[in-house]
Amino acid sequence: MYIKGCDAKTPYDAVFTDLSMPRKTGVEVVAEIKGNDPLMPVYVITGWQPDGEYQNLRAKLGNLAPDGVIGKPFQIQDIKGLLEEIKRIKFSTKNSQPSQPQTTSQS
């Protein structure tokens, strides 16, 4: 999906990606997305300990780090809450540039 979406230049409001995938790692996906669009909200989903993984990704990627890490298993309400926050921030002011959602780490 990511590869097709990027090739098609389809606009997205946010990206949720797993950390472990067959063709690209979540680290590669996050770095590529943030490198192209630093304001794009990107969240990594992982079965590893979310707080520790967020610190690891922040150390590896610096400014290209994801906006948060969501631990598995997660509740759909957690994702809905993040999407509502992203929507609120992105569309709160029509005349200003959208800002990043607050960095969160879900457990």
Side-chain angles (χ1 to χ4, degrees):
M1 178 69 158
Y2 164 73
I3 295 167
K4 288 180 185 177
C6 286
D7 290 344
K9 305 290 186 218
T10 303
Y12 291 95
D13 292 324
V15 175
F16 292 81
T17 184
D18 204 298
L19 195 56
S20 299
M21 298 178 290
R23 289 188 225 165
K24 279 192 176 192
T25 68
V27 172
E28 293 170 321
V29 170
V30 170
E32 189 172 334
I33 292 169
K34 288 293 195 175
N36 290 326
D37 185 357
L39 296 177
M40 176 62 67
V42 178
Y43 291 87
V44 172
I45 300 170
T46 182
W48 301 100
Q49 198 258 347
D51 291 332
E53 197 57 50
Y54 180 75
Q55 296 306 322
N56 181 27
L57 290 169
R58 174 68 67 195
K60 266 186 197 177
L61 297 172
N63 291 338
L64 299 179
D67 297 286
V69 175
I70 301 164
K72 293 178 193 174
F74 58 85
Q75 299 294 316
I76 194 66
Q77 293 86 341
D78 297 334
I79 304 298
K80 286 180 180 179
L82 286 170
L83 290 172
E84 285 299 321
E85 182 179 347
I86 291 164
K87 179 180 168 184
R88 181 186 58 77
I89 291 169
K90 280 191 107 160
F91 302 109
S92 64
T93 56
K94 293 180 182 179
N95 297 327
S96 67
Q97 187 169 348
S99 61
Q100 286 287 95
Q102 183 175 0
T103 300
T104 58
S105 177
Q106 302 292 320
S107 54

